[in-house]
Amino acid sequence: MASAQSLSFNLGKETMQLKSKYKHFSGTTEYYQHDSQVNHAPMNFAVFLPEQIKRKQLPVLYWLSGLTCTEENFMIKAGAQRVAAELGIVIVTMDTSPRNLGIEGEDDSYDFGSGAGFYVNATEQKWSRHYNMYDYVTKELPEIIEAHFNVNNNKSIFGHSMGGHGALMIALKNPGYYQSVSAFSPIVAPSQCLWGQKALGGYLGDDKALWQAYDSCELLKNAEERLPILIDQGTDDEFLQQYLMPEKLQQVCEQYNHPLNLRMQEGYDHSYYFIATFVADHIRYHAEYLNVET
Amino acid sequence: MASAQSLSFNLGKETMQLKSKYKHFSGTTEYYQHDSQVNHAPMNFAVFLPEQIKRKQLPVLYWLSGLTCTEENFMIKAGAQRVAAELGIVIVTMDTSPRNLGIEGEDDSYDFGSGAGFYVNATEQKWSRHYNMYDYVTKELPEIIEAHFNVNNNKSIFGHSMGGHGALMIALKNPGYYQSVSAFSPIVAPSQCLWGQKALGGYLGDDKALWQAYDSCELLKNAEERLPILIDQGTDDEFLQQYLMPEKLQQVCEQYNHPLNLRMQEGYDHSYYFIATFVADHIRYHAEYLNVET
């Protein structure tokens, strides 16, 4: 796999359009649109820039959202900026797919197509030109962030549900690239649940060997790096038994001696009320790996 | 004016319908609908119940939202529950009007009718049966909260924009009823701005003497109680000059020796990004008056 640094998009500032900007905890939450070269479509992302960025380079924490979400949900609902402002961490969120492409069926369901990119590079002809969210998150977007904002090379990644899958999978596939990884209610074994089977089948076709390259439970078996994993999972999550199945990850982690801190949170569900409750824990966890000076 | 206690609605639990409930910062954020007796229509409210309520009676902090908002906006965007959970304060929010009543024109504009009750009791015939948000907030809703949840008699009130107007006006009209009051970007002189003139004219008719009974700058001149006022106002708020005009309140407060802490917050706008930034300050401020044991 090409490293993010080897792939240059040469994006000038003129290709990025600032859509809105809000002062927030002394820093700013900003929304951008740009023409994605890997997705061949406009993409939206958001960034929280702590006030400290005026004086020094800051590390970046990437958030990957779940099904249907845009770059906005986490920024307005999680309450993450309070802690990121305190610790001096840039937060980046992105839309969960390109949208309004005119691909037949792209808006037919909440769990495939628009809002459901699943963080893979599609190989099926219908989707392969525009649905390359893996390259977008791991290569194009970091390059944009590093080109346009005063950040250092330290980066970590976390996410929720489909985005929890994305964060774990991406960290496992890119040893050394992220300082730390965590997830809320992640889909840990997409090959083994209906959401994942629909998405991986749709974007990658029927060859399940291709699916395994995006399945955290499979990737863990050959992980080059023992990057510790932090997961929070609500016990009252309606998707727990059929879709999320963290016990499958736990089993592989035990078998392969991979460090996992799986916290089952009593009574919490799948919502942003749950994420908001524990997001500060996650940001402080990542701060330890991001060499934040406090 | 009748005190809240003198007006009994005899609401049984059967009249309140729990619409949804989320575990949140060890407590719960809950959404209810009930048949309002003062508005003769279904009304929605939300309540955050800290975990401590299982063991002791807690004080209540009422939040009044701005134009177009429902009971949900503050609950999902402000990040208030984190601090309320820590301090043991119940938070109550309510919709900004009844909705879907079939009144001609009720949905024609964002600043009148649905989502824009302005916290007054309408006297104009068209609106007077259903638009009695003043009685709803000061009488019916507190009675419901006190009947159904383990709260004590200490209550405070705050709000944003139209809801900042509501909070200040209601506190001024009810001396001794609220322990403290604060506001974000409040409409302090509705008689003197277009939003207020449209709403007060529409709900109360052309007699400006009636308007003054809901105008904080007027009410302050005869305030029986010198309850201190805390206000946060962003300097980059697009509505500052024409609609909010905090300098008018400041002038009256100086003239009548009413304690006011008006904090002009450099660079902040009218949004929930602003509210989220300073909401913890406000909740800690109210906690001092609500006799919270920490």
Side-chain angles (χ1 to χ4, degrees):
Chain A
M1 176 183 310
S3 81
Q5 281 69 27
S6 72
L7 223 165
S8 179
F9 297 99
N10 297 317
L11 280 151
K13 291 211 186 215
E14 66 283 5
T15 66
M16 254 171 65
Q17 193 187 348
L18 178 66
K19 308 291 283 185
S20 57
K21 176 176 173 173
Y22 306 92
K23 191 163 179 184
H24 199 186
F25 288 101
S26 301
T28 50
T29 293
E30 306 183 354
Y31 292 87
Y32 288 90
Q33 186 170 84
H34 71 110
D35 291 322
S36 165
Q37 297 188 28
V38 300
N39 286 338
H40 302 97
M43 282 295 300
N44 295 319
F45 70 88
V47 57
F48 173 68
L49 303 173
E51 182 270 342
Q52 299 94 309
I53 205 162
K54 295 173 190 164
R55 294 185 301 280
K56 58 178 177 181
Q57 292 192 318
L58 300 181
V60 185
L61 178 54
Y62 289 87
W63 170 265
L64 278 55
S65 277
L67 289 167
T68 78
C69 286
T70 71
E71 69 285 2
E72 193 185 27
N73 299 64
F74 183 78
M75 288 300 195
I76 62 175
K77 290 182 167 181
Q81 290 92 332
R82 180 184 63 87
V83 190
E86 176 200 322
L87 298 173
I89 299 173
V90 171
I91 294 182
V92 173
T93 63
M94 72 294 302
D95 202 353
T96 47
S97 77
R99 295 178 190 260
N100 306 311
L101 301 171
I103 301 176
E104 177 263 328
E106 67 180 335
D107 294 325
D108 284 0
S109 55
Y110 78 99
D111 56 0
F112 188 73
S114 300
F118 254 83
Y119 305 103
V120 305
N121 289 338
T123 54
E124 288 292 286
Q125 195 264 329
K126 185 173 171 183
W127 304 97
S128 61
R129 181 167 169 81
H130 296 297
Y131 275 68
N132 295 302
M133 288 298 291
Y134 179 80
D135 277 352
Y136 183 71
V137 171
T138 60
K139 299 184 184 74
E140 187 175 14
L141 187 55
E143 184 160 332
I144 291 171
I145 298 300
E146 285 156 26
H148 294 298
F149 304 105
N150 191 30
V151 301
N152 62 35
N153 281 323
N154 288 338
K155 53 180 85 62
S156 292
I157 191 164
F158 67 154
H160 172 236
S161 195
M162 174 181 76
H165 142 72
L168 296 177
M169 173 271 287
I170 282 172
L172 287 163
K173 284 170 81 77
N174 294 276
Y177 192 60
Y178 296 96
Q179 267 60 54
S180 50
V181 62
S182 75
F184 293 84
S185 340
I187 302 169
V188 300
S191 308
Q192 300 181 58
C193 80
L194 288 177
W195 278 338
Q197 288 158 358
K198 179 173 179 178
L200 299 178
Y203 297 129
L204 305 175
D206 292 335
D207 181 357
K208 294 195 178 167
L210 294 179
W211 299 14
Q212 293 190 359
Y214 293 109
D215 186 309
S216 293
C217 278
E218 295 300 324
L219 290 164
L220 257 172
K221 297 175 183 172
N222 298 302
E224 287 176 32
E225 187 190 31
R226 294 276 165 252
L227 191 65
I229 295 171
L230 168 65
I231 292 177
D232 273 323
Q233 171 63 59
T235 63
D236 284 10
D237 187 323
E238 63 191 295
F239 305 112
L240 177 55
Q241 307 295 333
Q242 279 202 289
Y243 294 89
L244 307 175
M245 306 180 289
E247 69 282 359
K248 290 190 186 291
L249 190 77
Q250 194 169 31
Q251 200 172 16
V252 183
C253 283
E254 280 168 12
Q255 196 180 341
Y256 289 82
N257 199 28
H258 196 110
L260 168 68
N261 183 8
L262 171 59
R263 310 194 307 183
M264 298 302 292
Q265 301 290 4
E266 185 66 31
Y268 287 90
D269 63 17
H270 200 67
S271 71
Y272 265 90
Y273 299 93
F274 165 57
I275 296 170
T277 301
F278 297 104
V279 77
D281 285 5
H282 284 240
I283 296 173
R284 292 188 196 287
Y285 173 81
H286 290 291
E288 289 180 26
Y289 292 85
L290 289 167
N291 293 321
V292 168
E293 303 150 25
T294 49
Chain B
M1 177 183 311
S3 80
Q5 282 69 26
S6 72
L7 224 165
S8 179
F9 297 97
N10 297 317
L11 280 153
K13 290 209 188 222
E14 66 283 4
T15 67
M16 252 171 66
Q17 193 187 349
L18 178 65
K19 307 290 284 185
S20 57
K21 176 176 173 173
Y22 306 91
K23 191 162 180 186
H24 200 186
F25 288 102
S26 301
T28 50
T29 293
E30 306 183 356
Y31 292 87
Y32 288 91
Q33 186 170 83
H34 71 109
D35 291 320
S36 165
Q37 297 189 28
V38 299
N39 286 339
H40 302 96
M43 282 295 300
N44 296 319
F45 70 89
V47 57
F48 172 68
L49 304 173
E51 182 271 342
Q52 299 92 310
I53 206 164
K54 295 174 188 163
R55 296 184 301 280
K56 59 177 177 180
Q57 292 191 319
L58 300 181
V60 185
L61 178 54
Y62 289 87
W63 170 266
L64 278 55
S65 277
L67 289 167
T68 76
C69 287
T70 71
E71 70 284 2
E72 194 185 27
N73 300 64
F74 183 78
M75 289 300 196
I76 61 175
K77 290 182 166 182
Q81 290 92 333
R82 179 183 63 87
V83 190
E86 176 200 323
L87 298 172
I89 298 174
V90 171
I91 294 182
V92 173
T93 62
M94 72 294 300
D95 203 352
T96 47
S97 77
R99 294 179 191 260
N100 306 312
L101 301 170
I103 301 177
E104 177 263 327
E106 67 180 335
D107 294 324
D108 284 0
S109 55
Y110 78 98
D111 56 358
F112 188 72
S114 300
F118 253 84
Y119 305 103
V120 305
N121 290 337
T123 54
E124 289 293 286
Q125 194 264 330
K126 185 173 172 184
W127 304 97
S128 60
R129 181 167 169 81
H130 296 298
Y131 275 69
N132 295 302
M133 288 299 291
Y134 179 80
D135 278 351
Y136 183 71
V137 170
T138 60
K139 300 185 183 72
E140 187 175 14
L141 186 56
E143 184 160 331
I144 291 171
I145 298 299
E146 286 156 25
H148 294 298
F149 303 105
N150 190 30
V151 301
N152 62 36
N153 282 323
N154 288 338
K155 54 180 85 63
S156 292
I157 191 165
F158 68 155
H160 173 237
S161 195
M162 175 182 74
H165 141 73
L168 297 176
M169 174 271 287
I170 282 172
L172 287 163
K173 284 171 81 77
N174 293 275
Y177 193 59
Y178 297 96
Q179 266 61 53
S180 50
V181 62
S182 75
F184 292 83
S185 340
I187 301 169
V188 300
S191 309
Q192 299 181 60
C193 80
L194 288 175
W195 278 339
Q197 288 158 358
K198 179 174 179 177
L200 299 177
Y203 297 129
L204 305 173
D206 292 335
D207 181 356
K208 294 193 179 167
L210 294 179
W211 298 14
Q212 295 190 357
Y214 293 107
D215 186 309
S216 293
C217 278
E218 295 300 323
L219 291 163
L220 256 173
K221 297 176 183 172
N222 298 302
E224 287 175 30
E225 187 191 28
R226 294 275 164 253
L227 191 65
I229 295 171
L230 168 65
I231 291 178
D232 273 323
Q233 172 63 59
T235 62
D236 283 10
D237 187 324
E238 62 191 293
F239 304 112
L240 178 56
Q241 308 294 334
Q242 278 201 289
Y243 294 89
L244 306 176
M245 306 180 288
E247 69 281 0
K248 290 191 186 292
L249 189 78
Q250 193 168 33
Q251 200 173 16
V252 183
C253 283
E254 279 168 14
Q255 196 180 342
Y256 289 82
N257 200 27
H258 196 110
L260 168 68
N261 183 8
L262 170 60
R263 309 194 308 183
M264 297 302 292
Q265 301 289 4
E266 187 65 32
Y268 287 91
D269 64 17
H270 200 68
S271 70
Y272 265 89
Y273 299 93
F274 165 57
I275 296 170
T277 301
F278 297 104
V279 76
D281 285 4
H282 283 241
I283 297 173
R284 292 189 197 287
Y285 173 80
H286 290 292
E288 289 180 27
Y289 292 85
L290 288 168
N291 292 321
V292 169
E293 303 150 24
T294 48

